Amino acid sequence: MILKTFKCAAFLGALLGWGSVPTAHAAGHLVQLEPSQDNSIYEPVIDLMSNGSGIFLFAGRTGLDGGYKARRALLKYDLAAALPANAIITYAELSLYQSKAAPNSPPAEIGLHRLSASWGEGPSNATGAEGQGAPAEAGDATWTHRFHPDTEWTTPGGDFEAAPTVITTVGQTLGYYRWACTQALLLELNDWLQAPETN
């Protein structure tokens, strides 16, 4: 299954509360954020493929040359640049638009996993449907590199928490899919807001 996403349609909605809160019913503020970085990395058939500047993102598995190869979408949100330092995030969800699905593929559980290392969004720009990626350029993330060509992941495919923060099932239907708010997601987002260097 391929999750193919228009970058402009990816946003993180966060309901925030800050300042004096005289009652439990004080109104929050809804903020929609687009990623400050995004990229797709491709399990190697030919190593070192990326899509830092492409139009689409990919996540899941695709049949290729008789085998199934993984695609992973990397997303980063600069919360500290968009929100007041004293904000408390009380609700959040991720929304992505699926514009293409692999034919006859069953529904797939797509999880969000917290990355434990920084990574790059370089100038690579895949052509056509972008599913095969493009040769990595300086600064790109790839299956083996956080920053091509000098800095590798500790584990090929990315350094991330094994347990997903939130999961949603993505099927054949084209349109928006949402990863709903969980306590784990709120903890991560508030951590990143208070300590941006951990994001």
Side-chain angles (χ1 to χ4, degrees):
M1 160 118 217
I2 298 174
L3 181 70
K4 189 171 184 182
T5 307
F6 285 99
K7 288 183 181 179
C8 62
F11 65 89
L12 178 73
L15 184 62
L16 314 169
W18 62 82
S20 275
V21 183
T23 72
H25 303 288
H29 301 271
L30 182 64
V31 177
Q32 290 186 355
L33 304 177
E34 290 194 16
S36 58
Q37 282 181 210
D38 54 45
N39 201 341
S40 295
I41 60 174
Y42 302 79
E43 186 175 13
V45 172
I46 300 171
D47 196 12
L48 304 181
M49 304 303 277
S50 188
N51 197 21
S53 296
I55 297 172
F56 302 109
L57 294 170
F58 295 84
R61 293 192 173 272
T62 184
L64 185 64
D65 299 328
Y68 291 94
K69 299 297 181 183
R71 306 289 188 257
R72 292 188 176 146
L74 308 179
L75 294 163
K76 180 178 180 179
Y77 292 87
D78 190 352
L79 302 180
L83 307 176
N86 63 339
I88 297 172
I89 301 171
T90 57
Y91 177 83
E93 71 175 25
L94 176 70
S95 178
L96 297 173
Y97 185 86
Q98 179 175 238
S99 63
K100 182 178 181 181
N104 304 315
S105 61
E109 290 187 340
I110 304 291
L112 303 183
H113 296 260
R114 183 175 184 166
L115 285 160
S116 58
S118 58
W119 50 275
E121 177 192 44
S124 62
N125 193 346
T127 59
E130 301 184 9
Q132 305 307 311
E137 298 192 37
D140 271 320
T142 72
W143 195 261
T144 55
H145 287 80
R146 297 192 293 124
F147 297 93
H148 179 73
D150 299 318
T151 308
E152 294 184 351
W153 299 105
T154 302
T155 303
D159 302 334
F160 57 87
E161 299 291 332
T165 304
V166 61
I167 298 173
T168 201
T169 300
V170 177
Q172 284 287 315
T173 304
L174 304 185
Y176 282 99
Y177 288 85
R178 289 176 171 78
W179 285 256
C181 188
T182 63
Q183 191 62 34
L185 180 60
L186 290 179
L187 286 172
E188 287 185 4
L189 295 175
N190 281 293
D191 284 350
W192 291 341
L193 182 59
Q194 298 305 315
E197 69 279 3
T198 66
N199 183 0

